[in-house]
Amino acid sequence: MGGYTLSDHAPLVHRNTLRVAARTQLLAEVRDAAKLPELLAYPAVRNGQVLVLGEGSNVLFVSDYPGTVVAMATQGVQVEADGEQARIAVAAGERWDDFVRWTLGQGYAGLENLILIPGTVGAAPIQNIGAYGTEVAEFIESVEAWDTREQRVAVLDSAACAFAYRDSVFKREPGRYIVTAVRFVLPRQRELRLDYAGIGDELARMGVAKPAPFHVAEAVVRLRSRKLPDPAVIGNAGSFFKNPVIPAAQAEALKRKHPALPLWPQSGDVGKVSAAWLIETAGFKGLREGDAGISNRHALVLVNHGKASGAELWALAQKVIAGVDAAFGIRLEPEPRIIGG
Ligand code: FAD
Ligand code: EPU
């Protein structure tokens, strides 16, 4: 048996950044994607539920997992470069932030705004990771996956991935695809994305007048390090709620009533409003119940001060959802995958 290892009743506490002490009935750590069909055919795996996990930076385990967790630990990067751009195929288990830094070191542009996002490359397309005015979808040519429904390797081009804000076909059909590799196309040069709040000011503070991609990356690192709590210090999963996308008329009415509400115009008859502002204004920022809390640095971040269980964290999240709904008539949706809730 090669390509993967199995362990029974395995702890997940070091496999989720909220540091929830859940366990899984079976853990399979996969180092060779070609062995997935063999692994999935085991009766113990085939007859139960399967959850694919990267670094666990966007999941909340509300209870123990009564099935098999498949942890993707595959490695490898293949590059085909010409003068202007590179096509790069990356194995699902590679660390996203290492990959971003490597691309910048090789002189490729595009991923600079997405530096310092935790997690694996294979998870990046699941919610179409985004930050500071860029979404990863822009640079994905295709995604290679094992299609558990059709029992074959599938290559989904960007259109088939149906990317949207924090969304994709992978999120909408959970359990169907196991992403094994992502193919990116990165240019040597692009018009840098400097318009998102804070980047321009940060570059000015750094004394940079003519930014290169690595300057933008450094500005984003500085901004993120100031704003977001570090999971190595305090358990969290980044933004716990999505910024709500609501009918434009509702967004404008809310903005008239609360002029300070950050509102980002969208195409179509909708507007995106700041969930952090709604949560802070409803009075939840810094709240702590036992070891479950809402960060006092950023109102969108649910934190584990120590030994909070998944159920305690989920109860606090539901309290926030109900409170924001009562105050503003908007129902927040969690961003991470809620497992067992
Ligand atoms: P996991 O948490 O392990 O999994 C997340 C989901 O993807 C699960 O549903 C899982 O089943 C599925 N999945 C994972 N790997 C695969 C695979 N190979 N095949 C199929 N399904 C898979 N996100 C942003 O978009 N922007 C940010 O700015 C951002 N900042 C963050 C900051 C912090 C401090 C933290 C803790 C998180 C942040 N996140 C952000 C969320 C998170 O980093 C991303 O969603 C990341 O892509 C998750 O990667 P992961 O490997 O940890 O996935
Ligand atoms: N704000 C508050 N209170 C707070 C924090 C923020 O009112 O405690 C307001 C501020 O007015 C601020 C606005 O919210 O201007 C926006 O805040 P920020 O720039 O931090 O962005 P965000 O909307 O909170 C989103 C993403 C992040 C991403 C940043 C930067 C979502 C759900 N979150 O956060 O992604 O890094 O923009 O682009 O879209 C993640 O998905 O895990 C994540 C961290």
Side-chain angles (χ1 to χ4, degrees):
M1 189 175 76
Y4 54 89
T5 51
L6 294 172
S7 37
D8 277 327
H9 200 56
L12 296 172
V13 68
H14 294 299
R15 290 181 184 268
N16 73 97
T17 60
L18 270 165
R19 300 281 171 255
V20 169
R23 284 179 174 269
T24 176
Q25 197 177 313
L26 191 62
L27 175 73
E29 187 153 38
V30 175
R31 300 197 175 275
D32 178 1
K35 291 291 168 70
L36 276 171
E38 176 186 310
L39 168 68
L40 297 169
Y42 273 119
V45 179
R46 194 180 62 213
N47 297 331
Q49 302 173 42
V50 170
L51 173 74
V52 185
L53 203 59
E55 284 181 14
S57 64
N58 217 26
V59 292
L60 169 59
F61 288 100
V62 178
S63 52
D64 287 344
Y65 191 67
T68 304
V69 165
V70 172
M72 293 301 284
T74 55
Q75 304 284 295
V77 178
Q78 287 171 320
V79 189
E80 285 170 42
D82 64 26
E84 298 302 306
Q85 61 178 34
R87 298 174 77 238
I88 310 175
V90 188
E94 292 281 351
R95 286 191 66 237
W96 173 258
D97 187 50
D98 289 349
F99 170 58
V100 171
R101 288 168 197 265
W102 178 84
T103 64
L104 292 169
Q106 297 293 310
Y108 295 113
L111 304 182
E112 56 278 356
N113 299 52
L114 301 177
I115 197 164
L116 216 61
I117 298 180
T120 54
V121 168
I126 308 302
Q127 72 157 5
N128 178 21
I129 55 171
Y132 293 89
T134 297
E135 288 182 340
V136 73
E138 200 181 326
F139 300 99
I140 292 182
E141 183 183 60
S142 63
V143 173
E144 185 191 284
W146 177 255
D147 182 342
T148 60
R149 197 181 78 187
E150 303 296 328
Q151 297 278 306
R152 61 176 172 81
V153 173
V155 177
L156 293 90
D157 64 15
S158 179
C161 293
F163 290 122
Y165 166 63
R166 297 294 189 271
D167 201 17
S168 71
V169 69
F170 309 106
K171 210 166 174 179
R172 272 176 245 155
E173 294 189 48
R176 176 164 173 190
Y177 296 104
I178 301 178
V179 172
T180 49
V182 182
R183 297 200 183 105
F184 299 87
V185 175
L186 297 180
R188 285 265 175 214
Q189 284 184 332
R190 74 157 182 162
E191 202 176 314
L192 295 173
R193 205 65 57 75
L194 308 173
D195 42 355
Y196 191 90
I199 295 190
D201 292 348
E202 199 61 41
L203 287 167
R205 267 196 289 273
M206 288 160 56
V208 177
K210 283 196 176 158
F214 68 89
H215 291 118
V216 177
E218 176 60 23
V220 171
V221 166
R222 290 176 184 217
L223 283 163
R224 292 182 67 99
S225 308
R226 270 208 305 275
K227 284 189 178 191
L228 290 169
D230 179 355
V233 177
I234 184 165
N236 76 86
S239 300
F240 193 82
F241 300 100
K242 290 191 278 189
N243 285 322
V245 178
I246 57 176
Q250 186 188 2
E252 281 150 21
L254 211 57
K255 179 85 181 164
R256 276 195 298 277
K257 203 165 164 199
H258 307 281
L261 168 71
L263 165 62
W264 297 283
Q266 306 290 298
S267 58
D269 206 17
V270 291
K272 194 199 272 178
V273 294
S274 161
W277 187 92
L278 297 172
I279 294 168
E280 180 167 352
T281 307
F284 291 106
K285 189 169 178 175
L287 174 72
R288 178 167 178 173
E289 291 191 350
D291 274 350
I294 300 296
S295 171
N296 55 14
R297 284 173 73 172
H298 200 302
L300 257 191
V301 183
L302 185 72
V303 290
N304 186 350
H305 288 282
K307 293 198 174 333
S309 67
E312 286 164 342
L313 290 162
W314 186 222
L316 187 66
Q318 282 170 311
K319 197 169 179 172
V320 171
I321 293 173
V324 167
D325 197 5
F328 300 105
I330 294 177
R331 221 169 155 73
L332 295 178
E333 287 176 20
E335 181 191 284
R337 173 125 170 233
I338 311 298
I339 296 148

